[in-house]
Amino acid sequence: MEIKRAAVIGAGVMGSGIAAHIANTGVPVLLLDIVKPGAADRSALAKGAVERLLKADPAPFMHPKNARLVTPGNLDDDLGALSECDWIVEAIVEDPKLKADLYTRIDALRKDGSVVSSNTSTIPLAMLTQGQSERFKRDFLVTHFFNPPRYMRLLEIVAGPETRSDALAAVADFCDRRLGKGVVRCKDTPGFIANRIGVTWIQSAVNAAFDLGLTVEEADAVVGRPMGIPKTGVFGLMDLVGIDLMPHIAKSLLATLPEGDLYRRLHREFPVIQRMIADGYTGRKGKGGFYRLNREGGAKVKEAMDLVTGQYRPAERPRPESVAAAGRDLRALAEHPDRTGRYARRVLAETLSYAASLVPEIADSIVAVDEAMRLGYAWKQGPFELIDRLGTAWFAELCRSEGLPVPALVEQAAGRPFYRVEDGKLQYLTTGGVYDDVRRPDGVLLLSDVKRASKPVWKNGSAALWDIGDGVMCLEFTSKMNALDGDTMAAYQKAMTLIGSGKGDWKALVVHNEGDNFSVGANLGLAMFVANIALWPAIEEMVEAGQRTYRALKYAPFPVVAAPSGMALGGGCEILLHADHVQAHAETYTGLVEVGVGVIPGWGGCTEMLARHAANSRGPKGPMPPVAGAFETISLAKVAKSAAEAKDLLYLKATDGITMNRDRLLADAKAKALALADGYTPPEKPAYTLPGPGGKTALDLFVQGFALQGKATPHDVVVCDHLARVLTGGPKTDPMEPVGEDRILKLEREAFMALVRHPATMDRIEHMLTTGKPLRN
Ligand code: NAI
């Protein structure tokens, strides 16, 4: 079965987000809600939801045009249209009775072979299908998305005993390849995997903070980063999702969890928190939460809730001694004798022993549990990986000393780790007590697996070269934040030397890494340091080396495919501009942001953007439109908020590929590289027709207009002056004579060097390094 048309019922927070994300795949989707009593427009709820989607930040749509694929309607007039849908997602209020009534109505209308799924977060599938037709039971499953559906990678999927295996396979495949989700099979148990463990972790951490007298900042400083958990910890996380949601989840879990479940024993209510909810202090969406930004009196003061007095006070940035002393050693953290160490100990013991006690009840393997916590709660490591950091034997002792039962799986491990590497293969301990390979689905290739199984072909301080099979080499950035420097360029050069003509052992190069961000650009700290000691020739050499390298990659006799995910900024964007093909993860955020730090793109970014705008047949003819287009994009430091938007901005070519699932990115890039390697010829060097001084005058006028309106700062004007000079070809250019790219590259270098010597540019760089934000000087 192929999903060609979908419907989502319930246009609330989740339903509208799911509809938007289905539209992101290009599949048309019907979005239905109830008729609001008294509303003039009977589809007002769904229509309002689409309007909100278009305004939401971060954007649920990967491109605003995707909104056209969402057709809003209502359940009274438009239910008939369900007969055309292959997949119907129910995302209405969490009420079994209302859901059951809706299913009966849907079932009468939907076509044979269609699939219905519920986004319920707590109601068991068995309860949802009670009283429904046999046909309905065969075609029904639970697809549990996390909020917000575009960005949260986890999708928990539950099939009932009667669910057709082909229905399950079709939906799972769509969610994996098209929606890009990490699909985790769960059993039909309350809260499935992630929320069952996550909510218990939160409860444990809140209880222990009250009992041991920790402040919210101290608690988050312990259960956040040191445990590989986002720095929001627990209190910050509750602020994010809404503190008022917690009692609802608790109520529903308590109604369904088995007797004797640890969560039942841990569940407690705290008057301070109850009062916060009652008074509207529900977190970021409310008047504030455990943290708030107080804007009274003009200044912005970060405040935190005092758990004892229930009053706000200025927030602190504690660095608990246990955390400072332990570093990355989780066991040392839990062994530390002070309050915060005892806190870590108790939360780890309760949370991890609970998780370990739930396999195989909630999932067939520990791998699914770890994956669910990584993708659903953004933990760097799942519970079993965390237990391995502590050691299974040590952890068993911890459980005993904390008065907790030692989970059967931990007993069975008998000191062995839950994961091990055997012959370069990652293996996990099965519930049967033996090791088995962690298997990746077809079409998934992870650089981390390659790295476990082999040694790098070559590496230096900023990059490594890997053999990813079939004659394809992968260049990985390994520097801090994947910033680019001389070593990165040396690695490219080495790759080119090794691959040679592309006719020997090596055929192609893929540039890819598994960092949160592909690359945030050139190493600014280094640039600042070199500039501070006025080592201008060194900076000039950095610019030249970058240009030389990127050029060489572009005209290399073998194909180069870049496979970015996350941010690809500045020099990180320029590598995309020089690749033969970009296979981008859909969540790629790319742009030439150099003007933000007072310079212009100097590694060929200006030149390539000119070429792209000139080749963009959609635009009007003549030398000026491409220049104006490139000028606008670069001078405004535009950053695409998705791969789809990057195509609009011409950072990506129309022919570049987009992969929705990050785990499939490297395999897709490799396949493309091999396809290109067959009969590969490098691109021809283009000639540019540039407007020269006349064009520059036009751009200058434009910038002056902006400056007069207060939209361009004094240093913006200086930077734009240089940018305009480069893009129009400099004072000697004649619009009748084509210009070679070497000339434009030289102009790029000259402009870059002039700007980097400017004190206002240094101020911008320093500001960026210290605050992470651009300075508007
Ligand atoms: P919501 O309250 O934002 O939206 C619910 C929508 O259902 C509303 O638009 C409402 O008009 C509509 N509705 C109410 N009664 C209806 C009926 N009889 N027939 C059709 N539509 C009706 O709720 P939210 O948060 O979007 O939750 C929807 C579902 O998703 C629930 O089952 C919830 O448990 C689940 N869920 C929620 C998550 C979250 O973070 N909010 C996360 C994952 C799952």
Side-chain angles (χ1 to χ4, degrees):
M1 184 195 76
E2 195 189 338
I3 295 168
K4 292 196 194 117
R5 192 172 280 275
V8 177
I9 304 180
V13 176
M14 292 305 291
S16 60
I18 295 167
H21 198 47
I22 292 175
N24 287 335
T25 71
V27 167
V29 52
L30 193 63
L31 179 62
L32 305 181
D33 208 305
I34 49 177
V35 176
K36 206 167 144 194
D41 186 334
R42 291 168 59 82
S43 300
L45 283 174
K47 284 184 185 164
V50 176
E51 276 164 30
R52 273 196 307 281
L53 285 171
L54 281 164
K55 288 193 205 118
D57 185 22
F61 289 116
M62 288 177 167
H63 194 291
K65 72 169 192 271
N66 297 347
R68 278 186 251 134
L69 288 167
V70 182
T71 309
N74 70 72
L75 283 167
D76 289 353
D77 307 329
D78 305 306
L79 208 61
L82 290 183
S83 65
E84 286 158 31
C85 298
D86 305 298
W87 180 28
I88 301 163
V89 184
E90 171 273 305
I92 69 166
V93 283
E94 191 75 335
D95 180 326
K97 172 81 179 71
L98 290 178
K99 290 193 197 261
D101 291 348
L102 178 68
Y103 295 162
T104 313
R105 289 176 74 194
I106 294 175
D107 205 26
L109 291 163
R110 69 187 184 92
K111 66 177 174 189
D112 280 339
S114 62
V115 186
V116 183
S117 72
S118 174
N119 188 52
T120 178
S121 33
T122 54
I123 309 171
L125 180 142
M127 191 191 283
L128 289 173
T129 51
Q130 235 167 46
Q132 300 295 336
S133 71
E134 287 307 311
R135 170 181 180 253
F136 186 84
K137 287 179 185 165
R138 280 196 300 275
D139 293 339
F140 183 80
L141 20 106
V142 169
T143 47
H144 181 223
F145 286 83
F146 282 68
N147 189 23
R150 170 179 161 190
Y151 297 94
M152 291 304 291
R153 284 198 56 209
L154 179 60
L155 180 96
E156 294 181 322
I157 202 163
V158 184
E162 282 137 296
T163 308
R164 281 188 290 129
S165 58
D166 52 338
L168 169 68
V171 171
D173 190 69
F174 186 85
C175 292
D176 168 343
R177 285 171 207 269
R178 306 288 297 276
L179 296 176
K181 298 295 135 198
V183 177
V184 173
R185 273 292 296 276
C186 307
K187 302 218 184 150
D188 191 17
T189 58
F192 311 122
I193 300 177
N195 284 343
R196 175 107 172 247
I197 296 170
V199 169
T200 304
W201 164 67
I202 292 173
Q203 186 75 58
S204 164
V206 171
N207 292 355
F210 274 95
D211 294 347
L212 293 164
L214 265 69
T215 64
V216 295
E217 301 98 307
E218 283 173 332
D220 288 346
V222 175
V223 295
R225 284 273 160 80
M227 299 188 183
I229 290 171
K231 67 173 194 286
T232 39
V234 276
F235 290 103
L237 177 64
M238 281 192 279
D239 279 359
L240 205 65
V241 298
I243 304 171
D244 53 330
L245 209 66
M246 302 312 292
H248 290 287
I249 300 179
K251 191 171 153 222
S252 108
L253 277 179
L254 291 172
T256 43
L257 283 176
E259 284 306 317
D261 193 271
L262 179 70
Y263 179 73
R264 288 188 182 281
R265 196 144 61 72
L266 293 182
H267 179 255
R268 263 157 76 187
E269 273 165 9
F270 297 93
V272 174
I273 301 180
Q274 285 173 319
R275 203 163 48 241
M276 284 174 73
I277 298 173
D279 294 345
Y281 291 94
T282 51
R284 292 198 195 175
K285 65 174 179 186
K287 292 192 262 182
F290 294 105
Y291 300 94
R292 73 165 180 185
L293 216 49
N294 192 347
R295 291 169 202 273
E296 278 166 31
K300 280 194 271 182
V301 183
K302 187 170 178 192
E303 295 183 328
M305 176 60 64
D306 186 312
L307 295 179
V308 180
T309 63
Q311 303 292 321
Y312 283 109
R313 51 158 179 78
E316 286 164 0
R317 290 178 130 216
R319 178 145 164 76
E321 204 196 299
S322 60
V323 173
R328 286 200 36 79
D329 186 346
L330 197 57
R331 201 193 285 188
L333 176 68
E335 277 176 336
H336 199 275
D338 81 352
R339 244 171 357 115
T340 56
R342 289 211 309 280
Y343 180 68
R345 188 175 172 85
R346 181 162 145 194
V347 176
L348 284 172
E350 287 175 347
T351 308
L352 301 182
S353 71
Y354 185 57
S357 73
L358 293 175
V359 178
E361 181 191 330
I362 61 170
D364 284 329
S365 82
I366 64 169
V367 181
V369 171
D370 282 340
E371 173 123 329
M373 293 315 290
R374 279 196 310 265
L375 300 181
Y377 275 72
W379 290 13
K380 281 215 170 3
Q381 291 167 311
F384 293 93
E385 293 163 313
L386 285 169
I387 295 178
D388 272 357
R389 268 176 75 184
L390 295 167
T392 47
W394 189 89
F395 181 71
E397 269 314 306
L398 173 69
C399 294
R400 283 184 203 108
S401 73
E402 291 291 307
L404 293 161
V406 180
L409 280 189
V410 176
E411 292 271 24
Q412 190 184 47
R416 291 174 299 166
F418 280 114
Y419 292 92
R420 69 172 188 191
V421 177
E422 195 73 3
D423 294 334
K425 282 228 169 88
L426 183 63
Q427 296 189 321
Y428 72 102
L429 203 54
T430 62
T431 49
V434 294
Y435 286 99
D436 193 7
D437 288 347
V438 174
R439 292 194 180 82
R440 309 291 179 201
D442 279 350
V444 171
L445 173 62
L446 301 180
L447 188 59
S448 41
D449 283 346
V450 173
K451 289 167 71 172
R452 233 186 313 266
S454 61
K455 293 211 157 33
V457 175
W458 184 89
K459 69 169 183 171
N460 64 14
S462 297
L465 305 177
W466 299 94
D467 180 351
I468 57 168
D470 304 309
V472 182
M473 182 184 285
C474 177
L475 187 146
E476 179 198 22
F477 305 140
T478 57
S479 51
K480 186 165 175 230
M481 292 174 83
N482 292 335
L484 310 172
D485 58 21
D487 270 2
T488 322
M489 298 305 158
Y492 280 126
Q493 296 290 351
K494 185 71 189 177
M496 284 187 274
T497 310
L498 289 171
I499 300 174
S501 67
K503 306 278 182 282
D505 291 345
W506 298 105
K507 296 189 178 77
L509 180 69
V510 169
V511 185
H512 170 77
N513 63 73
E514 289 176 350
D516 288 341
N517 294 311
F518 178 71
S519 171
V520 293
N523 186 335
L524 285 180
L526 186 66
M528 176 93 190
F529 173 77
V530 180
N532 271 337
I533 52 173
L535 215 58
W536 307 118
I539 294 192
E540 193 150 12
E541 168 50 27
M542 247 168 87
V543 179
E544 268 189 324
Q547 286 192 348
R548 239 184 356 255
T549 310
Y550 282 22
R551 275 313 74 192
L553 283 167
K554 181 173 175 185
Y555 298 113
F558 55 84
V560 177
V561 175
S565 174
M567 285 192 267
L569 302 177
C573 176
E574 283 171 306
I575 186 68
L576 309 188
L577 295 174
H578 288 85
D580 292 292
H581 178 87
V582 180
Q583 188 66 35
H585 179 216
E587 301 296 351
T588 296
Y589 317 118
T590 188
L592 293 170
V593 295
E594 285 83 351
V595 301
V597 287
V599 291
I600 61 153
W603 285 341
C606 295
T607 312
E608 288 304 316
M609 285 308 278
L610 274 176
R612 288 184 178 217
H613 278 274
N616 184 19
S617 53
R618 282 176 293 174
K621 298 280 168 262
M624 202 52 197
V627 171
F631 183 79
E632 185 184 329
T633 305
I634 301 172
S635 66
L636 296 176
K638 288 190 182 176
V639 175
K641 293 208 173 98
S642 65
E645 272 187 30
K647 289 198 174 186
D648 277 5
L649 293 173
L650 307 189
Y651 289 135
L652 293 185
K653 297 189 286 279
T655 51
D656 285 336
I658 298 178
T659 298
M660 290 292 266
N661 190 331
R662 213 187 156 172
D663 288 351
R664 298 182 175 279
L665 182 59
L666 183 56
D668 287 355
K670 179 182 161 185
K672 186 69 193 183
L674 284 170
L676 287 173
D678 193 14
Y680 179 77
T681 47
E684 306 249 328
K685 286 200 178 185
Y688 296 76
T689 311
L690 297 179
K696 168 125 190 336
T697 309
L699 293 180
D700 288 347
L701 279 171
F702 188 73
V703 176
Q704 277 161 24
F706 262 78
L708 283 173
Q709 293 169 46
K711 288 183 188 159
T713 66
H715 196 48
D716 286 343
V717 176
V718 175
V719 179
C720 285
D721 178 56
H722 283 279
L723 179 63
R725 194 184 137 98
V726 176
L727 294 177
T728 52
K732 290 192 215 108
T733 289
D734 175 343
M736 306 311 282
E737 282 174 28
V739 180
E741 61 185 13
D742 292 345
R743 168 99 158 269
I744 314 172
L745 287 168
K746 181 159 177 282
L747 290 168
E748 266 188 28
R749 287 198 304 274
E750 286 168 2
F752 189 96
M753 288 313 296
L755 285 167
V756 85
R757 286 164 175 259
H758 200 294
T761 291
M762 276 301 118
D763 291 344
R764 283 193 180 188
I765 294 182
E766 186 166 1
H767 194 265
M768 179 61 80
L769 284 170
T770 46
T771 67
K773 296 192 182 81
L775 174 69
R776 307 285 295 131
N777 61 343

